[in-house]
Amino acid sequence: MKIPIINSKRQYETIAKEAEKAVLEVMRSGSYILGNNNKEFENEICKYLNVKHAVTLNSGTDALHLALRALDIGEGDEVISTAFTFVATSESIGIVGAKPVFVDIDPDTFNIDASKIEAAITPKTKAIIPVHLYGQPCDMDVIIDIAKRHNLYVIEDACQAIGAEYKGKKVGTIGDIGCFSFYPTKNLGTMGDGGLLTTNSQYIKDRVIALRNHGGAIRYHHDEIGVNSRLDEIQAAILRVKLPYIDKWNKLRREHAAYYNELFSKCDLIQTPKELDSTYCVYHQYTVKVPNRDKVHQMLADKGIGAMIYYPIPLHLQKVHAKYNFKEGMLPNTEKDTKLVLSLPMFAEITKEEQEEVAKTLIEIVEKTAAAAAV
Ligand SMILES: *Cc1c(COP(=O)(O)O)cnc(C)c1O
């Protein structure tokens, strides 16, 4: 049985009629960029997230770097974040000319270890970017408390965590700014690129609305260097079709995660994901830790199971940040877990039968490779 890590076509089939109608309407309308669908989607997602303002953008990466721009963070500033994330998080810090300062992760959650943030703060620190990795919320109370005491902004990278909650609040609405991605494989994915920035601040909203459209709120009046980061109407229309299903899809992901946990409970070699108290995790990824990970990964692939490694190289050791001369050994938990993590097939439409096949195959392979390594 071939089981991919995500099956976008299976989800498409469940909304095909609605999505095709919505796209056809856009094509016939003659309005293709920042039109009514964008406006309505911004309203609808504000309601869903319970936040005052939402600005649609071209990607999650743009949401992150325009968040920094809107807060006037740039050259000479430092931004604290995690090295255990997709490159877009630290790339956005580099785009505005600021320096990323990486703090190690909590190996239980893979998220930034909030207890280690304070030691990384310097007079140049301007913001913290916690990443709700794999759909698991960061410990936001601790992070907000540190930010308040040191006068720092908090920009949540919620690109993998739409619908996740921390103490009853949706992530992306707890800090000063929330950043979301609608890349097709995200929990709420469109059929191209898309992103969103959320905030309760009218000032930040106005800045970002200007920045996304060449740095001016009024057409052909340009106050600062902006970008073109508009979301097209076709993507906004598809997102409007999908948004009403997000809670159902996230709930299914949680049920699948619980079922994987149960299936793996009989194998001590496989470490299943833990959840922080008072959080609602949305399992963008279901990520386990296994010994002999690279071998296991290859053997799973040989059996047609599409597991993935998110992410094989931590960001402090990536060439893109070479100028900072970050050293191996600097983030021990991050470096250790980079070598152990394996994300398994996870999507709302996966069947129990497929999960059982994934679990049976993984357990067999992990036990076999562990026995071989022991001799
Ligand atoms: C996907 C992702 C991004 C970037 O989003 P894009 O829409 O692909 O630009 C940023 N951060 C994290 C954690 C992501 O998973």
Side-chain angles (χ1 to χ4, degrees), residues 59-61 64 85-86 88-89 131 157 159-160 181 186 194:
S59 68
T61 307
L64 285 161
T85 173
F86 181 55
T89 315
V131 181
D157 183 339
C159 288
Q160 300 190 358
S181 167
K186 301 288 157 92

Side-chain angles (χ1 to χ4, degrees), residues 147-363:
K148 278 205 177 121
R149 281 189 287 109
H150 295 270
N151 212 7
L152 307 174
Y153 294 110
V154 175
I155 301 167
E156 293 175 76
D157 183 339
C159 288
Q160 300 190 358
I162 191 159
E165 290 176 16
Y166 177 84
K167 299 194 175 166
K169 271 193 185 160
K170 293 264 190 323
V171 302
T173 70
I174 303 165
D176 298 283
I177 294 179
C179 300
F180 295 88
S181 167
F182 304 122
Y183 184 78
T185 59
K186 301 288 157 92
N187 288 32
L188 180 63
T190 188
M191 296 175 199
D193 272 307
L196 185 88
L197 182 147
T198 52
T199 181
N200 285 311
S201 152
Q202 179 75 39
Y203 168 79
I204 291 170
K205 176 205 170 184
D206 291 343
R207 272 299 291 284
V208 176
I209 282 187
L211 285 167
R212 82 170 163 186
N213 203 5
H214 304 294
I218 304 165
R219 190 178 283 187
Y220 306 126
H221 292 64
H222 307 285
D223 304 320
E224 59 181 326
I225 298 291
V227 294
N228 169 2
S229 184
R230 302 173 300 234
L231 183 69
D232 66 70
E233 280 286 286
I234 287 181
Q235 302 309 333
I238 292 165
L239 287 165
R240 290 185 69 199
V241 167
K242 285 185 150 197
L243 182 61
Y245 296 98
I246 186 65
D247 281 344
K248 180 182 142 195
W249 290 334
N250 280 341
K251 188 164 165 279
L252 285 166
R253 283 174 182 268
R254 287 172 56 81
E255 286 167 18
H256 303 329
Y259 192 44
Y260 270 141
N261 288 346
E262 185 190 320
L263 292 168
F264 291 129
S265 65
K266 58 172 181 265
C267 179
D268 290 343
L269 293 167
I270 299 170
Q271 197 176 316
T272 55
K274 295 191 179 90
E275 295 186 3
L276 269 191
D277 286 345
S278 321
T279 60
Y280 186 86
C281 303
V282 295
Y283 291 93
H284 174 60
Q285 301 297 340
Y286 180 87
T287 303
V288 295
K289 295 195 226 185
V290 293
N292 312 300
R293 194 270 319 273
D294 289 339
K295 187 115 212 281
V296 168
H297 184 215
Q298 183 56 50
M299 287 168 80
L300 274 177
D302 294 343
K303 298 238 170 192
I305 292 175
M308 293 283 274
I309 297 162
Y310 301 117
Y311 296 89
I313 306 170
L315 297 182
H316 66 298
L317 302 178
Q318 295 275 0
K319 213 168 165 184
V320 62
H321 297 310
K323 69 172 170 185
Y324 297 116
N325 216 7
F326 295 128
K327 293 275 187 284
E328 194 157 358
M330 187 180 106
L331 304 172
N333 293 336
T334 299
E335 290 163 27
K336 185 169 168 229
D337 278 359
T338 309
K339 297 185 176 78
L340 298 174
V341 287
L342 193 62
S343 297
L344 303 179
M346 169 56 82
F347 44 97
E349 301 77 15
I350 196 171
T351 64
K352 276 204 140 117
E353 196 193 3
E354 286 169 323
Q355 286 193 274
E356 285 156 12
E357 177 72 19
V358 170
K360 185 174 134 260
T361 312
L362 180 63
I363 291 170

Side-chain angles (χ1 to χ4, degrees), residues 25-32:
E25 270 170 23
V26 172
M27 289 198 287
R28 287 173 176 164
S29 75
S31 168
Y32 303 132

Side-chain angles (χ1 to χ4, degrees), residues 131-146:
V131 181
H132 307 294
L133 199 76
Y134 305 149
Q136 154 108 274
C138 295
D139 199 352
M140 291 308 292
D141 276 357
V142 181
I143 293 170
I144 297 287
D145 175 61
I146 294 168

